[in-house]
Amino acid sequence: MKGYYGQYGGQFVAETLIPALDELEEAFKAFKKNKAAKEELNRYLKDYAGRPTPLYLAKNLSNQLNINIYLKREDLLHSGAHKINNTLGQIILAKFMGKKRIIAETGAGQHGVATATAAALMGLECVIYMGEKDAERQRPNLLRMKLLGAEVRIVKKGSRTLKSAINEALRDWVKNIRTTHYLIGSVVGPYPFPQIVAYFQSVIGREARKQILSKQKSLPDAVIACVGGGSNAIGIFSGFLKDKTVKLYGVEAGGEGLELGKHSAALTKGRPGIMHGALSYLLQDDDGQVSLVHSISAGLDYPGVGPVHSFLKDSGRVKYGVCFDDEALEAFKMLSQLEGIIPALESSHALGYLIKNKEDFARKTVIVNLSGRGDKDLPILEGIYV
């Protein structure tokens, strides 16, 4: 069925949004067939964003854990995370549609910075919605968005995190639908957004597959990525989904424990429900209300997940697990001190899962998607390491 991954996905939105989603779907289909638009995107990905990113053999960490560990270095991209892949793609798509104004939401700020960056490059008006709680703990990215010329609107109601920011962005889009493109940052939201974001992030998986075959002459035993909404994960998984010998692991935020309200592990502890225009696994209380969530990582602090991950969980193709706050912090410290690479707290969850389960991966070849760099997280870490 169009717009669904198994039973998940769909368009659970107000009737006023349906024409805009139909317009977006048709434009996306035309974009994929347009040679000039695709060449423009590939040129910016290479010469502006810095693709292809390296696939780096982390020798010190490998020796420490007795695992052959490769890091897909999305942290080396311009603006500091994989988010730029999607924002460059959607900005060019917005131009293709004749839109002059861009709105977006952000949690950790990485998507907001990448959107502000691409909008500045293309000369488009840009408004970013950010929860008050996230703005406090991601101050460097808040400043970067403003320096790039974006208007940042702080959301002070609801959870004051990513969920509230998405709510406000959707309200803005309803009011300004003719002139505005809503640049969603993850594989969430109503169809066709999950498909669009997955398409623009699939470059990670294509590169990683080609690179590991060049370096190892064989596919990896496993690929691991963190999952909030799930864009970096589906990006790298897409390169290996058809390779049944490659085990895929998605890692959610276990936060401070698996009691409701203390974590963000929608796939691990949630059940199907509707939020932000799609049916997917969702953290809810006994009355079906969306639960408050927690993660030390602002980018994983979200009660839902992309519908494609819900399908991959039910199908068994991807195994989803959790990494707790303290385990992510330990991984953050270990990679920084062994390899001289400071990872984002989001990526630290993927590393933390690998470290926690190191016996299961002993002597295996594993790719970890290092989705972003960690300097944005320094305000969170000041009270822990300094």
Side-chain angles (χ1 to χ4, degrees), residues 19-34 37-38 89-90 92-99 181 191-192 195-196 199-200:
L21 293 171
D22 289 344
E23 178 193 20
L24 182 59
E25 180 187 9
E26 291 305 312
F28 180 55
K29 288 178 180 175
F31 176 93
K32 289 194 292 183
K33 296 177 182 176
N34 188 290
K38 290 172 68 175
Q90 286 204 49
I92 294 172
L93 176 61
K95 279 178 47 188
F96 192 72
M97 298 169 66
K99 304 291 184 181
H181 174 64
Y191 174 81
Q195 187 179 59
I196 290 173
Y199 174 82
F200 288 131

PDB file of all heavy atoms in Angstrom, residues 19-34 37-38 89-90 92-99 181 191-192 195-196 199-200:
ATOM      1  N   PRO A  19      -3.131  18.251   0.144  1.00  0.00           N
ATOM      2  CA  PRO A  19      -2.644  18.780  -1.141  1.00  0.00           C
ATOM      3  C   PRO A  19      -1.139  19.054  -1.130  1.00  0.00           C
ATOM      4  O   PRO A  19      -0.459  18.818  -2.141  1.00  0.00           O
ATOM      5  CB  PRO A  19      -3.444  20.079  -1.307  1.00  0.00           C
ATOM      6  CG  PRO A  19      -4.686  19.867  -0.512  1.00  0.00           C
ATOM      7  CD  PRO A  19      -4.246  19.062   0.670  1.00  0.00           C
ATOM      8  N   ALA A  20      -0.625  19.540  -0.007  1.00  0.00           N
ATOM      9  CA  ALA A  20       0.817  19.820   0.073  1.00  0.00           C
ATOM     10  C   ALA A  20       1.627  18.523   0.018  1.00  0.00           C
ATOM     11  O   ALA A  20       2.695  18.472  -0.618  1.00  0.00           O
ATOM     12  CB  ALA A  20       1.128  20.573   1.357  1.00  0.00           C
ATOM     13  N   LEU A  21       1.136  17.478   0.665  1.00  0.00           N
ATOM     14  CA  LEU A  21       1.844  16.193   0.629  1.00  0.00           C
ATOM     15  C   LEU A  21       1.783  15.578  -0.767  1.00  0.00           C
ATOM     16  O   LEU A  21       2.758  14.970  -1.231  1.00  0.00           O
ATOM     17  CB  LEU A  21       1.249  15.238   1.669  1.00  0.00           C
ATOM     18  CG  LEU A  21       1.458  15.645   3.128  1.00  0.00           C
ATOM     19  CD1 LEU A  21       0.650  14.743   4.063  1.00  0.00           C
ATOM     20  CD2 LEU A  21       2.940  15.583   3.511  1.00  0.00           C
ATOM     21  N   ASP A  22       0.644  15.750  -1.444  1.00  0.00           N
ATOM     22  CA  ASP A  22       0.530  15.251  -2.827  1.00  0.00           C
ATOM     23  C   ASP A  22       1.504  16.004  -3.745  1.00  0.00           C
ATOM     24  O   ASP A  22       2.165  15.400  -4.599  1.00  0.00           O
ATOM     25  CB  ASP A  22      -0.906  15.425  -3.339  1.00  0.00           C
ATOM     26  CG  ASP A  22      -1.884  14.472  -2.671  1.00  0.00           C
ATOM     27  OD1 ASP A  22      -1.419  13.494  -2.054  1.00  0.00           O
ATOM     28  OD2 ASP A  22      -3.107  14.722  -2.762  1.00  0.00           O
ATOM     29  N   GLU A  23       1.572  17.335  -3.565  1.00  0.00           N
ATOM     30  CA  GLU A  23       2.498  18.155  -4.362  1.00  0.00           C
ATOM     31  C   GLU A  23       3.940  17.713  -4.120  1.00  0.00           C
ATOM     32  O   GLU A  23       4.736  17.576  -5.066  1.00  0.00           O
ATOM     33  CB  GLU A  23       2.342  19.633  -3.981  1.00  0.00           C
ATOM     34  CG  GLU A  23       3.318  20.554  -4.731  1.00  0.00           C
ATOM     35  CD  GLU A  23       3.380  21.944  -4.126  1.00  0.00           C
ATOM     36  OE1 GLU A  23       3.000  22.112  -2.951  1.00  0.00           O
ATOM     37  OE2 GLU A  23       3.855  22.856  -4.825  1.00  0.00           O
ATOM     38  N   LEU A  24       4.261  17.451  -2.848  1.00  0.00           N
ATOM     39  CA  LEU A  24       5.619  17.032  -2.499  1.00  0.00           C
ATOM     40  C   LEU A  24       5.954  15.677  -3.111  1.00  0.00           C
ATOM     41  O   LEU A  24       7.055  15.466  -3.642  1.00  0.00           O
ATOM     42  CB  LEU A  24       5.749  16.978  -0.974  1.00  0.00           C
ATOM     43  CG  LEU A  24       7.119  16.604  -0.406  1.00  0.00           C
ATOM     44  CD1 LEU A  24       8.196  17.596  -0.865  1.00  0.00           C
ATOM     45  CD2 LEU A  24       7.061  16.563   1.124  1.00  0.00           C
ATOM     46  N   GLU A  25       5.005  14.750  -3.071  1.00  0.00           N
ATOM     47  CA  GLU A  25       5.219  13.419  -3.646  1.00  0.00           C
ATOM     48  C   GLU A  25       5.508  13.505  -5.146  1.00  0.00           C
ATOM     49  O   GLU A  25       6.449  12.875  -5.654  1.00  0.00           O
ATOM     50  CB  GLU A  25       3.998  12.534  -3.392  1.00  0.00           C
ATOM     51  CG  GLU A  25       4.152  11.128  -3.958  1.00  0.00           C
ATOM     52  CD  GLU A  25       2.877  10.318  -3.856  1.00  0.00           C
ATOM     53  OE1 GLU A  25       1.831  10.902  -3.508  1.00  0.00           O
ATOM     54  OE2 GLU A  25       2.918   9.111  -4.139  1.00  0.00           O
ATOM     55  N   GLU A  26       4.700  14.285  -5.854  1.00  0.00           N
ATOM     56  CA  GLU A  26       4.885  14.411  -7.295  1.00  0.00           C
ATOM     57  C   GLU A  26       6.209  15.086  -7.626  1.00  0.00           C
ATOM     58  O   GLU A  26       6.913  14.697  -8.565  1.00  0.00           O
ATOM     59  CB  GLU A  26       3.716  15.195  -7.910  1.00  0.00           C
ATOM     60  CG  GLU A  26       2.399  14.449  -7.874  1.00  0.00           C
ATOM     61  CD  GLU A  26       2.499  13.070  -8.536  1.00  0.00           C
ATOM     62  OE1 GLU A  26       3.037  12.997  -9.662  1.00  0.00           O
ATOM     63  OE2 GLU A  26       2.064  12.071  -7.933  1.00  0.00           O
ATOM     64  N   ALA A  27       6.560  16.124  -6.856  1.00  0.00           N
ATOM     65  CA  ALA A  27       7.830  16.829  -7.087  1.00  0.00           C
ATOM     66  C   ALA A  27       9.020  15.900  -6.824  1.00  0.00           C
ATOM     67  O   ALA A  27      10.018  15.934  -7.564  1.00  0.00           O
ATOM     68  CB  ALA A  27       7.916  18.052  -6.181  1.00  0.00           C
ATOM     69  N   PHE A  28       8.918  15.071  -5.800  1.00  0.00           N
ATOM     70  CA  PHE A  28      10.008  14.148  -5.470  1.00  0.00           C
ATOM     71  C   PHE A  28      10.197  13.117  -6.576  1.00  0.00           C
ATOM     72  O   PHE A  28      11.324  12.784  -6.964  1.00  0.00           O
ATOM     73  CB  PHE A  28       9.712  13.473  -4.127  1.00  0.00           C
ATOM     74  CG  PHE A  28      10.769  12.495  -3.689  1.00  0.00           C
ATOM     75  CD1 PHE A  28      12.099  12.874  -3.583  1.00  0.00           C
ATOM     76  CD2 PHE A  28      10.423  11.184  -3.370  1.00  0.00           C
ATOM     77  CE1 PHE A  28      13.066  11.971  -3.179  1.00  0.00           C
ATOM     78  CE2 PHE A  28      11.382  10.279  -2.969  1.00  0.00           C
ATOM     79  CZ  PHE A  28      12.710  10.672  -2.867  1.00  0.00           C
ATOM     80  N   LYS A  29       9.077  12.614  -7.118  1.00  0.00           N
ATOM     81  CA  LYS A  29       9.171  11.661  -8.236  1.00  0.00           C
ATOM     82  C   LYS A  29       9.855  12.310  -9.439  1.00  0.00           C
ATOM     83  O   LYS A  29      10.717  11.697 -10.089  1.00  0.00           O
ATOM     84  CB  LYS A  29       7.770  11.173  -8.633  1.00  0.00           C
ATOM     85  CG  LYS A  29       7.129  10.235  -7.639  1.00  0.00           C
ATOM     86  CD  LYS A  29       5.715   9.852  -8.115  1.00  0.00           C
ATOM     87  CE  LYS A  29       5.035   8.919  -7.136  1.00  0.00           C
ATOM     88  NZ  LYS A  29       3.628   8.643  -7.539  1.00  0.00           N
ATOM     89  N   ALA A  30       9.499  13.570  -9.718  1.00  0.00           N
ATOM     90  CA  ALA A  30      10.093  14.280 -10.852  1.00  0.00           C
ATOM     91  C   ALA A  30      11.567  14.587 -10.585  1.00  0.00           C
ATOM     92  O   ALA A  30      12.403  14.493 -11.493  1.00  0.00           O
ATOM     93  CB  ALA A  30       9.319  15.575 -11.103  1.00  0.00           C
ATOM     94  N   PHE A  31      11.879  14.937  -9.345  1.00  0.00           N
ATOM     95  CA  PHE A  31      13.268  15.245  -8.950  1.00  0.00           C
ATOM     96  C   PHE A  31      14.174  14.040  -9.234  1.00  0.00           C
ATOM     97  O   PHE A  31      15.270  14.183  -9.778  1.00  0.00           O
ATOM     98  CB  PHE A  31      13.291  15.599  -7.463  1.00  0.00           C
ATOM     99  CG  PHE A  31      14.673  15.841  -6.912  1.00  0.00           C
ATOM    100  CD1 PHE A  31      15.207  17.120  -6.863  1.00  0.00           C
ATOM    101  CD2 PHE A  31      15.443  14.791  -6.428  1.00  0.00           C
ATOM    102  CE1 PHE A  31      16.474  17.347  -6.361  1.00  0.00           C
ATOM    103  CE2 PHE A  31      16.706  15.000  -5.923  1.00  0.00           C
ATOM    104  CZ  PHE A  31      17.227  16.283  -5.885  1.00  0.00           C
ATOM    105  N   LYS A  32      13.708  12.836  -8.858  1.00  0.00           N
ATOM    106  CA  LYS A  32      14.546  11.640  -9.020  1.00  0.00           C
ATOM    107  C   LYS A  32      14.820  11.316 -10.486  1.00  0.00           C
ATOM    108  O   LYS A  32      15.789  10.626 -10.808  1.00  0.00           O
ATOM    109  CB  LYS A  32      13.879  10.436  -8.335  1.00  0.00           C
ATOM    110  CG  LYS A  32      13.905  10.537  -6.820  1.00  0.00           C
ATOM    111  CD  LYS A  32      13.564   9.211  -6.165  1.00  0.00           C
ATOM    112  CE  LYS A  32      12.127   8.824  -6.388  1.00  0.00           C
ATOM    113  NZ  LYS A  32      11.776   7.571  -5.681  1.00  0.00           N
ATOM    114  N   LYS A  33      13.950  11.829 -11.384  1.00  0.00           N
ATOM    115  CA  LYS A  33      14.138  11.581 -12.811  1.00  0.00           C
ATOM    116  C   LYS A  33      14.870  12.726 -13.505  1.00  0.00           C
ATOM    117  O   LYS A  33      15.188  12.613 -14.696  1.00  0.00           O
ATOM    118  CB  LYS A  33      12.776  11.381 -13.484  1.00  0.00           C
ATOM    119  CG  LYS A  33      12.021  10.163 -13.009  1.00  0.00           C
ATOM    120  CD  LYS A  33      10.650  10.096 -13.681  1.00  0.00           C
ATOM    121  CE  LYS A  33       9.852   8.902 -13.191  1.00  0.00           C
ATOM    122  NZ  LYS A  33       8.478   8.887 -13.761  1.00  0.00           N
ATOM    123  N   ASN A  34      15.122  13.823 -12.756  1.00  0.00           N
ATOM    124  CA  ASN A  34      15.704  15.023 -13.354  1.00  0.00           C
ATOM    125  C   ASN A  34      17.229  14.970 -13.260  1.00  0.00           C
ATOM    126  O   ASN A  34      17.796  15.090 -12.164  1.00  0.00           O
ATOM    127  CB  ASN A  34      15.158  16.261 -12.643  1.00  0.00           C
ATOM    128  CG  ASN A  34      15.566  17.537 -13.345  1.00  0.00           C
ATOM    129  OD1 ASN A  34      16.742  17.917 -13.323  1.00  0.00           O
ATOM    130  ND2 ASN A  34      14.615  18.178 -13.988  1.00  0.00           N
ATOM    131  N   ALA A  37      19.011  18.196 -11.705  1.00  0.00           N
ATOM    132  CA  ALA A  37      18.842  18.350 -10.257  1.00  0.00           C
ATOM    133  C   ALA A  37      19.716  17.362  -9.495  1.00  0.00           C
ATOM    134  O   ALA A  37      20.342  17.708  -8.477  1.00  0.00           O
ATOM    135  CB  ALA A  37      17.367  18.148  -9.892  1.00  0.00           C
ATOM    136  N   LYS A  38      19.783  16.119  -9.981  1.00  0.00           N
ATOM    137  CA  LYS A  38      20.612  15.111  -9.305  1.00  0.00           C
ATOM    138  C   LYS A  38      22.100  15.441  -9.429  1.00  0.00           C
ATOM    139  O   LYS A  38      22.874  15.243  -8.493  1.00  0.00           O
ATOM    140  CB  LYS A  38      20.311  13.728  -9.881  1.00  0.00           C
ATOM    141  CG  LYS A  38      18.914  13.242  -9.485  1.00  0.00           C
ATOM    142  CD  LYS A  38      18.527  11.979 -10.203  1.00  0.00           C
ATOM    143  CE  LYS A  38      19.341  10.795  -9.796  1.00  0.00           C
ATOM    144  NZ  LYS A  38      18.854   9.553 -10.420  1.00  0.00           N
ATOM    145  N   GLY A  89      19.748  17.884  -0.078  1.00  0.00           N
ATOM    146  CA  GLY A  89      18.795  17.265  -0.989  1.00  0.00           C
ATOM    147  C   GLY A  89      17.438  17.952  -0.959  1.00  0.00           C
ATOM    148  O   GLY A  89      16.866  18.285  -2.004  1.00  0.00           O
ATOM    149  N   GLN A  90      16.915  18.202   0.258  1.00  0.00           N
ATOM    150  CA  GLN A  90      15.576  18.800   0.353  1.00  0.00           C
ATOM    151  C   GLN A  90      15.573  20.280  -0.040  1.00  0.00           C
ATOM    152  O   GLN A  90      14.567  20.791  -0.528  1.00  0.00           O
ATOM    153  CB  GLN A  90      15.011  18.611   1.757  1.00  0.00           C
ATOM    154  CG  GLN A  90      14.556  17.192   2.049  1.00  0.00           C
ATOM    155  CD  GLN A  90      13.518  17.138   3.152  1.00  0.00           C
ATOM    156  OE1 GLN A  90      12.538  17.874   3.149  1.00  0.00           O
ATOM    157  NE2 GLN A  90      13.741  16.248   4.112  1.00  0.00           N
ATOM    158  N   ILE A  92      17.425  21.594  -2.420  1.00  0.00           N
ATOM    159  CA  ILE A  92      17.393  21.589  -3.889  1.00  0.00           C
ATOM    160  C   ILE A  92      16.014  21.145  -4.375  1.00  0.00           C
ATOM    161  O   ILE A  92      15.483  21.675  -5.357  1.00  0.00           O
ATOM    162  CB  ILE A  92      18.514  20.689  -4.443  1.00  0.00           C
ATOM    163  CG1 ILE A  92      19.881  21.309  -4.092  1.00  0.00           C
ATOM    164  CG2 ILE A  92      18.401  20.522  -5.952  1.00  0.00           C
ATOM    165  CD1 ILE A  92      21.070  20.424  -4.407  1.00  0.00           C
ATOM    166  N   LEU A  93      15.381  20.208  -3.659  1.00  0.00           N
ATOM    167  CA  LEU A  93      14.013  19.804  -3.972  1.00  0.00           C
ATOM    168  C   LEU A  93      13.044  20.981  -3.792  1.00  0.00           C
ATOM    169  O   LEU A  93      12.142  21.199  -4.609  1.00  0.00           O
ATOM    170  CB  LEU A  93      13.602  18.627  -3.079  1.00  0.00           C
ATOM    171  CG  LEU A  93      12.164  18.124  -3.191  1.00  0.00           C
ATOM    172  CD1 LEU A  93      11.858  17.632  -4.601  1.00  0.00           C
ATOM    173  CD2 LEU A  93      11.911  16.999  -2.169  1.00  0.00           C
ATOM    174  N   ALA A  94      13.236  21.761  -2.725  1.00  0.00           N
ATOM    175  CA  ALA A  94      12.379  22.934  -2.480  1.00  0.00           C
ATOM    176  C   ALA A  94      12.517  23.954  -3.604  1.00  0.00           C
ATOM    177  O   ALA A  94      11.524  24.527  -4.074  1.00  0.00           O
ATOM    178  CB  ALA A  94      12.736  23.564  -1.134  1.00  0.00           C
ATOM    179  N   LYS A  95      13.744  24.210  -4.033  1.00  0.00           N
ATOM    180  CA  LYS A  95      13.968  25.107  -5.176  1.00  0.00           C
ATOM    181  C   LYS A  95      13.271  24.564  -6.420  1.00  0.00           C
ATOM    182  O   LYS A  95      12.667  25.312  -7.188  1.00  0.00           O
ATOM    183  CB  LYS A  95      15.478  25.231  -5.447  1.00  0.00           C
ATOM    184  CG  LYS A  95      16.209  26.210  -4.559  1.00  0.00           C
ATOM    185  CD  LYS A  95      17.693  26.225  -4.854  1.00  0.00           C
ATOM    186  CE  LYS A  95      18.024  26.318  -6.322  1.00  0.00           C
ATOM    187  NZ  LYS A  95      19.437  26.158  -6.631  1.00  0.00           N
ATOM    188  N   PHE A  96      13.372  23.256  -6.601  1.00  0.00           N
ATOM    189  CA  PHE A  96      12.741  22.562  -7.723  1.00  0.00           C
ATOM    190  C   PHE A  96      11.228  22.812  -7.731  1.00  0.00           C
ATOM    191  O   PHE A  96      10.598  22.917  -8.779  1.00  0.00           O
ATOM    192  CB  PHE A  96      13.051  21.074  -7.578  1.00  0.00           C
ATOM    193  CG  PHE A  96      12.746  20.222  -8.775  1.00  0.00           C
ATOM    194  CD1 PHE A  96      13.517  20.289  -9.925  1.00  0.00           C
ATOM    195  CD2 PHE A  96      11.688  19.324  -8.747  1.00  0.00           C
ATOM    196  CE1 PHE A  96      13.234  19.472 -11.014  1.00  0.00           C
ATOM    197  CE2 PHE A  96      11.405  18.507  -9.834  1.00  0.00           C
ATOM    198  CZ  PHE A  96      12.186  18.598 -10.976  1.00  0.00           C
ATOM    199  N   MET A  97      10.653  22.965  -6.504  1.00  0.00           N
ATOM    200  CA  MET A  97       9.216  23.188  -6.353  1.00  0.00           C
ATOM    201  C   MET A  97       8.849  24.674  -6.367  1.00  0.00           C
ATOM    202  O   MET A  97       7.664  25.015  -6.303  1.00  0.00           O
ATOM    203  CB  MET A  97       8.738  22.568  -5.031  1.00  0.00           C
ATOM    204  CG  MET A  97       8.921  21.063  -4.935  1.00  0.00           C
ATOM    205  SD  MET A  97       8.632  20.445  -3.257  1.00  0.00           S
ATOM    206  CE  MET A  97       6.886  20.770  -3.051  1.00  0.00           C
ATOM    207  N   GLY A  98       9.857  25.545  -6.391  1.00  0.00           N
ATOM    208  CA  GLY A  98       9.599  26.983  -6.400  1.00  0.00           C
ATOM    209  C   GLY A  98       9.310  27.576  -5.038  1.00  0.00           C
ATOM    210  O   GLY A  98       8.791  28.691  -4.920  1.00  0.00           O
ATOM    211  N   LYS A  99       9.665  26.865  -3.950  1.00  0.00           N
ATOM    212  CA  LYS A  99       9.436  27.362  -2.597  1.00  0.00           C
ATOM    213  C   LYS A  99      10.539  28.351  -2.203  1.00  0.00           C
ATOM    214  O   LYS A  99      11.711  28.132  -2.499  1.00  0.00           O
ATOM    215  CB  LYS A  99       9.401  26.209  -1.587  1.00  0.00           C
ATOM    216  CG  LYS A  99       8.366  25.122  -1.907  1.00  0.00           C
ATOM    217  CD  LYS A  99       6.945  25.613  -1.741  1.00  0.00           C
ATOM    218  CE  LYS A  99       5.938  24.482  -1.962  1.00  0.00           C
ATOM    219  NZ  LYS A  99       4.546  24.911  -1.833  1.00  0.00           N
ATOM    220  N   HIS A 181       8.424  25.176   2.418  1.00  0.00           N
ATOM    221  CA  HIS A 181       8.734  23.742   2.454  1.00  0.00           C
ATOM    222  C   HIS A 181       9.144  23.375   3.872  1.00  0.00           C
ATOM    223  O   HIS A 181      10.030  24.019   4.448  1.00  0.00           O
ATOM    224  CB  HIS A 181       9.879  23.403   1.498  1.00  0.00           C
ATOM    225  CG  HIS A 181      10.322  21.960   1.606  1.00  0.00           C
ATOM    226  ND1 HIS A 181       9.485  20.910   1.287  1.00  0.00           N
ATOM    227  CD2 HIS A 181      11.501  21.410   2.011  1.00  0.00           C
ATOM    228  CE1 HIS A 181      10.129  19.764   1.490  1.00  0.00           C
ATOM    229  NE2 HIS A 181      11.346  20.050   1.927  1.00  0.00           N
ATOM    230  N   TYR A 191       3.838  10.280   5.037  1.00  0.00           N
ATOM    231  CA  TYR A 191       4.354   9.998   3.706  1.00  0.00           C
ATOM    232  C   TYR A 191       4.167  11.236   2.832  1.00  0.00           C
ATOM    233  O   TYR A 191       3.125  11.871   2.908  1.00  0.00           O
ATOM    234  CB  TYR A 191       3.605   8.799   3.116  1.00  0.00           C
ATOM    235  CG  TYR A 191       3.937   8.493   1.685  1.00  0.00           C
ATOM    236  CD1 TYR A 191       5.077   7.786   1.360  1.00  0.00           C
ATOM    237  CD2 TYR A 191       3.111   8.950   0.648  1.00  0.00           C
ATOM    238  CE1 TYR A 191       5.390   7.521   0.036  1.00  0.00           C
ATOM    239  CE2 TYR A 191       3.416   8.682  -0.666  1.00  0.00           C
ATOM    240  CZ  TYR A 191       4.561   7.965  -0.968  1.00  0.00           C
ATOM    241  OH  TYR A 191       4.885   7.717  -2.273  1.00  0.00           O
ATOM    242  N   PRO A 192       5.121  11.673   2.023  1.00  0.00           N
ATOM    243  CA  PRO A 192       6.321  10.936   1.607  1.00  0.00           C
ATOM    244  C   PRO A 192       7.602  11.278   2.367  1.00  0.00           C
ATOM    245  O   PRO A 192       8.684  10.926   1.914  1.00  0.00           O
ATOM    246  CB  PRO A 192       6.452  11.349   0.150  1.00  0.00           C
ATOM    247  CG  PRO A 192       6.026  12.792   0.152  1.00  0.00           C
ATOM    248  CD  PRO A 192       4.893  12.853   1.144  1.00  0.00           C
ATOM    249  N   GLN A 195      10.178   8.475   3.139  1.00  0.00           N
ATOM    250  CA  GLN A 195      10.816   7.992   1.909  1.00  0.00           C
ATOM    251  C   GLN A 195      11.842   8.993   1.386  1.00  0.00           C
ATOM    252  O   GLN A 195      12.929   8.611   0.929  1.00  0.00           O
ATOM    253  CB  GLN A 195       9.743   7.742   0.853  1.00  0.00           C
ATOM    254  CG  GLN A 195      10.271   7.078  -0.403  1.00  0.00           C
ATOM    255  CD  GLN A 195       9.161   6.823  -1.420  1.00  0.00           C
ATOM    256  OE1 GLN A 195       8.494   7.751  -1.871  1.00  0.00           O
ATOM    257  NE2 GLN A 195       8.942   5.578  -1.748  1.00  0.00           N
ATOM    258  N   ILE A 196      11.519  10.285   1.459  1.00  0.00           N
ATOM    259  CA  ILE A 196      12.429  11.328   0.960  1.00  0.00           C
ATOM    260  C   ILE A 196      13.719  11.353   1.775  1.00  0.00           C
ATOM    261  O   ILE A 196      14.827  11.372   1.223  1.00  0.00           O
ATOM    262  CB  ILE A 196      11.728  12.704   1.004  1.00  0.00           C
ATOM    263  CG1 ILE A 196      10.626  12.767  -0.056  1.00  0.00           C
ATOM    264  CG2 ILE A 196      12.732  13.833   0.805  1.00  0.00           C
ATOM    265  CD1 ILE A 196       9.762  14.027   0.025  1.00  0.00           C
ATOM    266  N   TYR A 199      15.892   8.341   1.170  1.00  0.00           N
ATOM    267  CA  TYR A 199      16.549   8.435  -0.150  1.00  0.00           C
ATOM    268  C   TYR A 199      17.802   9.305  -0.076  1.00  0.00           C
ATOM    269  O   TYR A 199      18.870   8.912  -0.559  1.00  0.00           O
ATOM    270  CB  TYR A 199      15.547   9.013  -1.151  1.00  0.00           C
ATOM    271  CG  TYR A 199      16.122   9.300  -2.518  1.00  0.00           C
ATOM    272  CD1 TYR A 199      16.265   8.280  -3.467  1.00  0.00           C
ATOM    273  CD2 TYR A 199      16.499  10.589  -2.888  1.00  0.00           C
ATOM    274  CE1 TYR A 199      16.779   8.545  -4.735  1.00  0.00           C
ATOM    275  CE2 TYR A 199      17.014  10.863  -4.149  1.00  0.00           C
ATOM    276  CZ  TYR A 199      17.157   9.837  -5.061  1.00  0.00           C
ATOM    277  OH  TYR A 199      17.671  10.099  -6.313  1.00  0.00           O
ATOM    278  N   PHE A 200      17.686  10.468   0.553  1.00  0.00           N
ATOM    279  CA  PHE A 200      18.840  11.366   0.606  1.00  0.00           C
ATOM    280  C   PHE A 200      19.935  10.861   1.543  1.00  0.00           C
ATOM    281  O   PHE A 200      21.100  11.223   1.394  1.00  0.00           O
ATOM    282  CB  PHE A 200      18.395  12.780   1.004  1.00  0.00           C
ATOM    283  CG  PHE A 200      17.636  13.495  -0.082  1.00  0.00           C
ATOM    284  CD1 PHE A 200      16.425  14.122   0.186  1.00  0.00           C
ATOM    285  CD2 PHE A 200      18.128  13.548  -1.377  1.00  0.00           C
ATOM    286  CE1 PHE A 200      15.727  14.778  -0.818  1.00  0.00           C
ATOM    287  CE2 PHE A 200      17.434  14.200  -2.391  1.00  0.00           C
ATOM    288  CZ  PHE A 200      16.226  14.818  -2.111  1.00  0.00           C
TER     289      PHE A 200
END
